[in-house]
Amino acid sequence: MKWNISDLPVFVAVVEKEGISAAARSLRMPKSSVSRFVQRLEDDLQVRLLERNSRQMRMTSEGEVFFKHCQLIMEQVEAADAHMNGLSHTPSGELTISLPMAFSRDVLAGHLHRFNKQYPEIQLNIQVTPTAVDLIGEHIDLAVQVGDLPDSELIAVPLFETPLIWVASPNTYAAGHTFPGLDALVEQVHVCERRYNKTALPVRYQGDKHKVEIQASIETTDPIMVRDTVIAGSGVGLLPSLYCRTAIDRGELVQVAQNMELDLMAKASAVYTSRRMLSAKTRLFIEFLKDLTTEM
């Protein structure tokens, strides 16, 4: 490492105070010294961190990435200092999280108050999106992603695996209803999550392994939309059991075609960019998610 870690607080102050003059006043340093520290950091890193002239300043894309790492380093330094001095370190600051819609609504929303009550100094910025995100490019600390993860440098913490089941409204079919064959079952699937539609799905039926391909006319990225559409009477739905339990308990859905068992699990993981740079607040939220999904 060619750059000096003692230059980081100066760079962070320049960014947070939006200028060298304001940073110099905050740090009680001469402007020339602040400017020299930033220049030295850029020279050592061999990248331009800030674009600046006499009137304005902005971070470069490289500067934005480096600033995110600086924040984590400073947070961990503060935590270590507090620990070594026998003080209780209270995690604080903003934590940006990306969640799938179904997970945010059916798993997390009703329990967020518990985390907030325990860690009131952490400001949660929750982004709900149906697709995978670029954690570094979009400055996201933690994301929950469903399905098998592509090979990448992301660190993944498994949260849950839940079977996929066939469900229907009790007004459409009785609980345990069977179909004369796989084709007859698939024909009744009118709405389906995109990841399972028009895809060969493994099914165990009559002691053998088969492949079925759903051709639903309504395709969505949201399993909750699938669930609610099926509750309204739209044939048979294929859903992770995690998102059906409450509706089944209430009598809004029933499980059907249990003799046609899907040899497939729905899964979700919490992912982040680097184990070394994992902040205290990110670690706490991962533990919160693990505890929450274990309770289910």
Side-chain angles (χ1 to χ4, degrees):
M1 186 178 73
K2 296 180 179 179
W3 50 276
N4 192 331
I5 197 170
S6 63
D7 292 341
L8 298 191
V10 178
F11 172 65
V12 169
V14 170
V15 174
E16 291 180 343
K17 300 300 181 181
E18 300 181 347
I20 288 175
S21 296
R25 288 192 297 271
S26 174
L27 296 170
R28 298 182 180 179
M29 294 172 59
K31 286 173 54 179
S32 58
S33 297
V34 173
S35 182
R36 187 172 65 252
F37 277 42
V38 173
Q39 183 64 58
R40 182 173 66 190
L41 190 56
E42 290 179 324
D43 291 343
D44 291 344
L45 289 168
Q46 296 184 341
V47 296
R48 188 78 165 169
L49 299 174
L50 302 169
E51 295 288 357
R52 51 198 182 275
N53 56 36
S54 58
R55 296 187 304 275
Q56 59 184 0
M57 183 202 77
R58 68 174 182 85
M59 275 192 292
T60 63
S61 58
E62 294 86 356
E64 290 178 355
V65 172
F66 188 67
F67 177 66
K68 196 74 171 179
H69 284 286
C70 288
Q71 289 179 306
L72 294 178
I73 292 171
M74 296 300 294
E75 182 179 284
Q76 295 203 350
V77 168
E78 291 171 3
D81 184 60
H83 179 76
M84 295 306 294
N85 282 284
L87 303 175
S88 60
H89 175 68
T90 302
S92 61
E94 184 175 295
L95 181 64
T96 301
I97 306 162
S98 174
L99 300 174
M101 183 177 292
F103 187 90
S104 68
R105 289 164 59 186
D106 260 39
V107 177
L108 186 60
H111 303 276
L112 269 175
H113 66 285
R114 290 161 46 188
F115 186 85
N116 182 244
K117 184 176 180 180
Q118 190 170 2
Y119 304 107
E121 299 300 317
I122 298 177
Q123 291 84 51
L124 296 178
N125 175 9
I126 298 176
Q127 303 176 10
V128 178
T129 174
T131 57
V133 294
D134 176 2
L135 271 70
I136 294 177
E138 299 180 44
H139 307 298
I140 291 170
D141 300 300
L142 180 71
V144 172
Q145 294 188 5
V146 297
D148 294 319
L149 300 177
D151 291 337
S152 72
E153 296 181 357
L154 296 178
I155 308 299
V157 178
L159 294 177
F160 69 77
E161 286 191 355
T162 185
L164 288 160
I165 61 174
W166 306 102
V167 293
S169 162
N171 294 328
T172 306
Y173 294 104
H177 179 87
T178 59
F179 293 83
L182 290 170
D183 290 342
L185 170 64
V186 170
E187 285 175 1
Q188 297 305 309
V189 181
H190 308 307
V191 57
C192 187
E193 193 178 350
R194 179 176 296 169
R195 71 182 68 250
Y196 306 122
N197 199 31
K198 301 174 184 175
T199 301
L201 303 174
V203 176
R204 295 182 182 274
Y205 176 54
Q206 295 181 339
D208 295 320
K209 295 182 179 179
H210 300 266
K211 295 284 187 179
V212 299
E213 186 170 310
I214 296 170
Q215 297 286 337
S217 56
I218 304 172
E219 184 179 276
T220 176
T221 57
D222 181 17
I224 304 305
M225 179 176 285
V226 175
R227 184 189 68 193
D228 291 349
T229 304
V230 172
I231 287 174
S234 182
V236 174
L238 168 62
L239 284 165
S241 65
L242 178 67
Y243 298 134
C244 299
R245 292 172 188 168
T246 301
I248 290 174
D249 291 342
R250 291 174 179 168
E252 298 171 332
L253 285 176
V254 294
Q255 186 174 354
V256 298
Q258 295 181 48
N259 60 328
M260 301 175 180
E261 183 180 2
L262 281 142
D263 195 11
L264 191 64
M265 300 287 284
K267 61 184 71 173
S269 304
V271 298
Y272 56 95
T273 55
S274 169
R275 193 181 303 276
R276 276 185 57 200
M277 298 296 294
L278 186 63
S279 69
K281 55 181 179 282
T282 304
R283 184 180 295 108
L284 287 172
F285 200 80
I286 290 173
E287 291 303 316
F288 173 70
L289 291 178
K290 288 169 62 179
D291 291 344
L292 183 58
T293 51
T294 300
E295 294 170 4
M296 295 179 172

